[in-house]
Amino acid sequence: MQVRFPRTVRARRRTVQAVMAAAVLALAPATWMHTAAAGKLRTTADVPAGDVAVVFGAGLWKGRPTPYLAHRLDTAAELYRTGKVKVLLVTGDNSRTEYDEPSAMRAYLAARGVPDAQVVSDYAGFDTWDSCVRAREVFGVDRAVLVTQDFHVKRAVALCERAGVASYGVGVAEPQDATWYYGTTRELFAAGKAALDAALRPDPRFLGPEESGVAEALAGGARTAPASPAARP
């Protein structure tokens, strides 16, 4: 098929303008995310101390956390052990009886010495926006450290800030393997949905009643030293 280019200067100018406008629109969501997260990204060493860390789900394999999810949980456990946070809110998918991200996350943390009383489960964190809204509206979290991979952390911070959770993000670095490239590429498309969520502020797929788990964990007494981690599988 022969491609026909505009013949007149005016038509060519309009074509260029249309292409440029489309490029600006395509990049706008990513630009918004970067702007919203500016100054909010930290490491485990320099993140300001707070009460709660939110750990986002990242899939299970045969009922156990995937390597990426395990790395998030290792980082969250470090934040707890070093006194940066007091409570870990693990949020993930439990839409099927045979698939329970929060319980698997909780078990993984317990095996690494985080007391069960300091872990709170959100069983309806079906996506980043849902997790952020539920953290604020269901669990009463208005400030948090967000733990996720480095390619996802800007979107997490931008959405949680929009949902009313003042946030710092700790991004977990990963080798640039096939999974990393997939996740990084996926973020380019996820940025558009994130911008729509931030603009329209839809209700989560499941909101439900308020829960007192985080408040109870924070009020449950002085923070005790974690037990020695169990042998790693």
Side-chain angles (χ1 to χ4, degrees):
M1 184 179 66
Q2 185 178 4
V3 178
R4 295 184 179 181
F5 294 96
R7 294 184 178 181
T8 67
V9 173
R10 185 176 182 182
R12 286 196 293 270
R13 184 183 298 118
R14 287 181 175 176
T15 299
V16 171
Q17 290 172 341
V19 171
M20 292 179 63
V24 169
L25 288 174
L27 292 173
T31 302
W32 161 74
M33 282 194 325
H34 283 268
T35 302
K40 295 286 188 175
L41 306 184
R42 296 288 190 272
T43 66
T44 54
D46 65 13
V47 69
D51 287 338
V52 182
V54 177
V55 191
F56 296 87
L60 302 178
W61 174 250
K62 296 183 178 179
R64 299 172 66 180
T66 60
Y68 271 38
L69 179 52
H71 297 162
R72 296 181 188 188
L73 294 166
D74 289 337
T75 300
E78 180 182 350
L79 290 171
Y80 177 79
R81 284 194 296 267
T82 57
K84 290 288 188 175
V85 298
K86 303 171 185 176
V87 174
L88 304 180
L89 175 60
V90 295
T91 175
D93 187 350
N94 182 213
S95 57
R96 311 185 304 276
T97 55
E98 69 276 10
Y99 189 87
D100 186 350
E101 272 189 303
S103 292
M105 295 163 76
R106 192 178 196 122
Y108 186 96
L109 289 167
R112 280 140 187 87
V114 180
D116 188 68
Q118 302 310 118
V119 181
V120 179
S121 298
D122 172 13
Y123 294 98
F126 299 122
D127 63 16
T128 305
W129 174 250
D130 283 13
S131 293
C132 290
V133 173
R134 284 178 54 81
R136 182 70 182 91
E137 300 298 330
V138 175
F139 294 94
V141 175
D142 57 12
R143 294 181 177 274
V145 177
L146 312 181
V147 182
T148 184
Q149 262 68 38
D150 52 6
F151 53 75
H152 174 234
V153 69
K154 291 185 179 70
R155 178 158 62 94
V157 169
L159 287 175
C160 277
E161 287 276 342
R162 181 60 175 155
V165 181
S167 304
Y168 283 99
V170 174
V172 180
E174 300 286 354
Q176 295 186 6
D177 54 12
T179 304
W180 184 90
Y181 280 108
Y182 169 79
T184 301
T185 302
R186 181 177 178 273
E187 284 302 306
L188 298 176
F189 299 95
K193 179 183 181 300
L196 285 175
D197 286 339
L200 302 177
R201 299 173 62 88
D203 290 334
R205 190 189 314 179
F206 177 79
L207 185 60
E210 294 181 9
E211 297 187 22
S212 58
V214 169
E216 290 175 1
L218 289 172
R223 180 181 178 277
T224 57
S228 299
R232 285 166 171 74

